[in-house]
Amino acid sequence: MKTLFLAIAVSLFSFGASAQSTSKTSTQKAAAPAVTYRCPTCTYTSTKTGECPKDKIALVKVGDYYCPDCYMSSSKPGKCTMCGVDMKKMEAPTTTSSTKK
């Protein structure tokens, strides 16, 4: 009886594990949209966050807002919390030749 109970428990556990691994692979197949970051002062563009190698200024995510004076960034429009200047929206690059990875 113990052997039968153990066999049923093991088969249920293996069935559950295989069902979970199948669902993970189906969600991994969906490609996330590419996120682009740009330097607020020059045309440098990257797919990774960080700072511009030329200007040493933090890159801003395309679609977010940044202050043109102190380069502080925010996901919401409005005034800069540090200097009070109106935030500008970071636009996508017009040409793909400046894209670097």
Side-chain angles (χ1 to χ4, degrees):
M1 186 68 171
K2 290 181 182 178
T3 308
L4 180 62
F5 179 75
L6 182 63
I8 292 172
V10 169
S11 63
L12 288 175
F13 177 78
S14 64
F15 176 75
S18 67
Q20 287 180 353
S21 65
T22 305
S23 65
K24 286 182 183 177
T25 56
S26 64
T27 55
Q28 289 176 350
K29 291 180 184 177
V35 177
T36 307
Y37 298 90
R38 292 192 62 206
C39 177
T41 59
C42 68
T43 59
Y44 180 77
T45 304
S46 176
T47 57
K48 297 178 183 176
T49 186
E51 65 179 30
C52 177
K54 178 182 172 187
D55 301 319
K56 304 297 183 210
I57 296 174
L59 298 175
V60 179
K61 183 178 173 183
V62 171
D64 280 359
Y65 296 85
Y66 71 97
C67 175
D69 285 352
C70 65
Y71 306 114
M72 184 175 172
S73 63
S74 173
S75 60
K76 298 178 182 178
K79 300 234 182 232
C80 176
T81 57
M82 289 184 68
C83 62
V85 175
D86 287 333
M87 303 285 266
K88 286 186 170 183
K89 186 172 185 175
M90 179 57 72
E91 301 293 335
T94 56
T95 62
T96 57
S97 62
S98 64
T99 304
K100 297 179 183 177
K101 294 183 181 180

